[in-house]
Structures are given as structure tokens and as C-alpha cells.
Amino acid sequence: MTASLRIELFPADLEVSVDFYISVLGFEVGKDDRPGGGRYVWLRRDDVGLGLMERRPADSGPTVPPVAVEIVLEVDDVTAERDRVVAAGGELADDLITRPWGLTDFRLYDPDGNYWRITHR
């Protein structure tokens, strides 16, 4: 089973971060939800994907990681991956769910508290 990795960051100031990644590091906008009132921008440079979502207060719900980084692992079969993780003793923070943006994922923390989201491609 193949996998790929992308990074999502939760900056305190979305505008400053978008400007930095575009003007300094040469990323291009792939998707921008800001014109419709959203707080998410998807950037791409070659095969590198970077999602930026404006940081929310820690008490705004379970989809907000406790740190400023969410690691996203994309797999071919998210259900099989979930079953494998659970069988291996992984404790899920959120079980499989189809999100409003169309992807199905599950979430868990590693032993150091890093927030992982496993999703289909």
C-alpha cells in the first residue's frame, strides 16, 4: 500500500503566512477559501502540498489540534488503514467520518501528542 504526505499548519495570521509561502518560498495557490469567507488556503510547489488554516481558540471543538501542526497521511484505502491501525493497538481520537469537504478520514495522536489525520487520496 503506497502513501504520501502533506503538511497542514495553523498560523496565527493566515494572511502573513500565505504571503510568506508565496513570496519567499515560491508556493502557488491551489485553492483559496478566503473569498467565500473561509479560513483555508491550499498551496503547492512541485509535489509538495501545504494547507494553511487560521488558528482557532483551543476551546473551539475537537477538530482543532492541541498544537499548531496537523500531519496528514494520504492512503489508497482509508478503511483498511483504519482497521490495520486499530488492530495494531492504535487509539483513535476520531473514527472514520466523511468531512464536509468530501474526504473521509480518521484521526489519532502519536505518543508525543502529534496530531495525525489519515485520509484517502
Side-chain angles (χ1 to χ4, degrees), residues 29-43:
V29 174
K31 179 182 178 186
D32 189 344
D33 289 343
R34 293 175 296 175
R39 301 173 310 146
Y40 183 82
V41 179
W42 173 250
L43 302 173

Side-chain angles (χ1 to χ4, degrees), residues 34-108:
R34 293 175 296 175
R39 301 173 310 146
Y40 183 82
V41 179
W42 173 250
L43 302 173
R44 191 164 228 23
R45 179 178 170 185
D46 302 320
D47 289 334
V48 178
L50 176 63
L52 299 174
M53 178 176 270
E54 186 175 87
R55 190 177 308 158
R56 293 182 270 181
D59 62 352
S60 64
T63 62
V64 178
V67 294
V69 177
E70 174 182 70
I71 303 166
V72 179
L73 183 66
E74 297 177 331
V75 297
D76 293 326
D77 185 339
V78 70
T79 302
E81 187 71 15
R82 180 248 181 234
D83 293 346
R84 190 194 63 72
V85 166
V86 170
E91 188 174 325
L92 303 182
D94 288 315
D95 206 343
L96 283 172
I97 187 169
T98 300
R99 304 294 173 174
W101 51 89
L103 294 177
T104 300
D105 63 44
F106 66 95
R107 298 155 189 238
L108 69 156

Side-chain angles (χ1 to χ4, degrees), residues 65-67 69-71 107-117:
V67 294
V69 177
E70 174 182 70
I71 303 166
R107 298 155 189 238
L108 69 156
Y109 296 96
D110 75 6
D112 294 306
N114 292 306
Y115 191 66
W116 282 82
R117 176 164 48 103

